[in-house]
Amino acid sequence: MNFQKISDKAAIALSMLCVVHCLLLPVLLILLPPIAGVLAFDDELFHKTLLFFVVPISVIALMMGYFYHRNHTMLLVGGVGLTLLILAVVLGHDLLGEYGEVVLTVIGSSFIAFSHIRNLRLRSQTDNETDYPHIITHK
């Protein structure tokens, strides 16, 4: 498996971790209050740490894929997702409110995951076309 595919999959996993954290952790803390102390960590620090990993991994994977298949839409969707995720962390719930931050994070993470899934598919499709040039049909 090449570096670009690993990066895409890591970016998808980290983006989904953001969503899980934002949506399920509050529910888990309400349903199981005794674990609140164990899971009590700085929410802002968690988001900044995830962002620290998501941004470079996403940028590298999306750029590597773009240079391979030249799909502008995939880059645009990924860029919008990263921008929304960065805004969610930078503006935080002080400016956006708790729900605003969650909504921005979920939408941004979804855009990021979608762009990386698309990046993987485009790469795979381009690989297949390159491997079997005799079956490529020109439209």
Side-chain angles (χ1 to χ4, degrees), residues 1-13 54 56-71 74-75 112-128:
M1 184 177 288
N2 69 30
F3 182 73
Q4 186 254 321
K5 288 180 182 179
I6 293 169
S7 299
D8 277 321
K9 290 179 180 184
I12 293 166
V54 169
I57 290 171
S58 288
V59 169
I60 290 168
L62 293 173
M63 292 305 295
M64 288 175 68
Y66 173 75
F67 290 134
Y68 194 80
H69 52 64
R70 303 287 185 193
N71 185 290
M74 177 272 320
L75 258 184
I112 292 168
F114 175 80
S115 68
H116 285 286
I117 291 168
R118 183 79 177 130
N119 198 33
L120 284 168
R121 288 185 180 157
L122 287 168
R123 178 70 188 244
S124 176
Q125 180 182 14
T126 306
D127 284 345
N128 290 338

Side-chain angles (χ1 to χ4, degrees), residues 27-130:
V27 172
L28 185 62
L29 293 177
I30 290 169
L31 294 176
L32 302 168
I35 66 166
V38 175
L39 294 177
F41 52 87
D42 187 358
D43 194 42
E44 186 177 338
L45 177 62
F46 181 80
H47 283 141
K48 286 181 179 178
T49 303
L50 276 177
L51 195 63
F52 177 79
F53 291 103
V54 169
V55 171
I57 290 171
S58 288
V59 169
I60 290 168
L62 293 173
M63 292 305 295
M64 288 175 68
Y66 173 75
F67 290 134
Y68 194 80
H69 52 64
R70 303 287 185 193
N71 185 290
H72 295 75
T73 305
M74 177 272 320
L75 258 184
L76 179 65
V77 171
V80 168
L82 287 171
T83 301
L84 293 175
L85 202 58
I86 291 168
L87 285 173
V89 170
V90 171
L91 299 177
H93 47 277
D94 292 338
L95 293 173
L96 298 171
E98 187 174 332
Y99 295 114
E101 181 183 18
V102 168
V103 167
L104 213 54
T105 299
V106 170
I107 292 170
S109 295
S110 299
F111 273 53
I112 292 168
F114 175 80
S115 68
H116 285 286
I117 291 168
R118 183 79 177 130
N119 198 33
L120 284 168
R121 288 185 180 157
L122 287 168
R123 178 70 188 244
S124 176
Q125 180 182 14
T126 306
D127 284 345
N128 290 338
E129 290 172 357
T130 308

